Amino acid sequence: MDATVTPTIQSVPCAALAAGVSPALRPALDSDRDFLREVFISTRAAEFAGIDREPAYINDLLAQQFTLQDSYYRRHYPHAHFDLVTCDGANVGRLYHHWGSTEVRLIDIALMPFYRGSGLGTQLMRALVAEAAKRGLAISLYVEMQNPVRALYQRLGFVKSGENGVYEIMRREAGPSHHVVPQPGCDRDLSQLFSQT
C-alpha cells in the first residue's frame, strides 16, 4: 500500500497499558479533526489497497468518506459524546457514544493500528458495559458482519438483533455485567470514564 493512504500521524507506544495506567476519554475538539480523519482512514485503507487508482485519489476519497460519516453521526446523534481515546497523553483512537433514557448506543469505536489487539478496546468496552449495567441500560451497536470484533461483543453479552445492509445489529440487554469473564490485566476500574455521561 502506498504511503499516502497510510495514516500519517504516528502512534506512540502506550507504556500506560503495560504499567497498569488506564486510558482516558476527552471530548474531541475541532483541532482534533486531522487525527480523527487519520483514525477513520486507518480503518478503511486496507479495503482500497488493491484498487488501481492513484494514491492521492484514494486518500481524497477516504477523506470525503470521513467527512460524510462525521456529518451523519453529528446530525443523527446531536447529544452524543464524540470522544478521543487517550493513553499516556497520546491520542490513540475515538469512541462515540450516546446515553439515552433506556439504551446506550455505541456509535463508533476505533483505535489506531498500533493499539489494536492490545486489550485497550476490550478495556473500554468492559467499562461501557459495566456503566450501562449499573444504570440499568441496554446497549446497541452496528458492526460489519465480517468484522472479527464481533467475537468480543459476543463475549461481553451482545447478541444479534437484526441486520441492516452489511451491518449486523447487536444488542446487550440491561443487566448485570458480572457474567463477563474477567481477564488478567484488562480489568482495571475504568468506571470514571463514563461517570459524566
Side-chain angles (χ1 to χ4, degrees):
M1 178 168 36
D2 192 289
T4 11
V5 179
T6 304
T8 55
I9 296 177
Q10 294 295 315
S11 299
V12 292
C14 188
L17 283 179
V21 176
S22 299
L25 299 177
R26 70 166 176 82
L29 306 172
D30 287 341
S31 59
D32 297 314
R33 192 158 174 83
D34 288 342
F35 175 75
L36 293 171
R37 183 174 43 252
E38 294 300 328
V39 172
F40 174 83
I41 289 172
S42 78
T43 67
R44 304 292 309 277
E47 295 174 46
F48 292 87
I51 295 177
D52 187 23
R53 296 297 294 231
E54 292 294 318
Y57 172 84
I58 294 171
N59 211 40
D60 288 346
L61 178 64
L62 289 171
Q64 289 171 8
Q65 287 185 348
F66 164 75
T67 299
L68 290 170
Q69 182 192 66
D70 188 66
S71 296
Y72 175 86
Y73 285 163
R74 291 176 189 279
R75 189 171 57 253
H76 284 84
Y77 302 101
H79 303 293
H81 299 268
F82 297 94
D83 290 332
L84 241 60
V85 179
T86 65
C87 191
D88 207 22
N91 295 335
V92 301
R94 69 183 191 181
L95 177 62
Y96 298 168
H97 48 108
H98 178 265
W99 295 75
S101 59
T102 60
E103 176 182 274
V104 177
R105 170 63 59 97
L106 176 61
I107 302 166
D108 192 69
I109 181 170
L111 300 173
M112 292 298 282
F114 183 85
Y115 300 94
R116 295 176 198 154
S118 70
L120 179 59
T122 300
Q123 288 183 60
L124 293 167
M125 286 302 301
R126 285 174 175 274
L128 184 84
V129 166
E131 185 63 24
K134 187 169 97 177
R135 297 184 195 188
L137 299 174
I139 308 172
S140 66
L141 57 85
Y142 284 71
V143 62
E144 289 182 354
M145 292 180 196
Q146 303 305 316
N147 191 327
V149 78
R150 287 174 58 250
L152 168 64
Y153 298 149
Q154 290 168 338
R155 284 194 308 272
L156 294 174
F158 287 84
V159 295
K160 180 179 177 177
S161 65
E163 293 180 6
N164 185 353
V166 299
Y167 295 98
E168 186 172 289
I169 304 164
M170 298 187 83
R171 184 173 175 84
R172 184 183 190 285
E173 294 301 331
S177 63
H178 64 268
H179 79 280
V180 177
V181 179
Q183 291 183 338
C186 287
D187 288 319
R188 297 183 201 104
D189 180 13
L190 300 179
S191 57
Q192 79 285 355
L193 287 177
F194 301 105
S195 62
Q196 300 301 314
T197 56

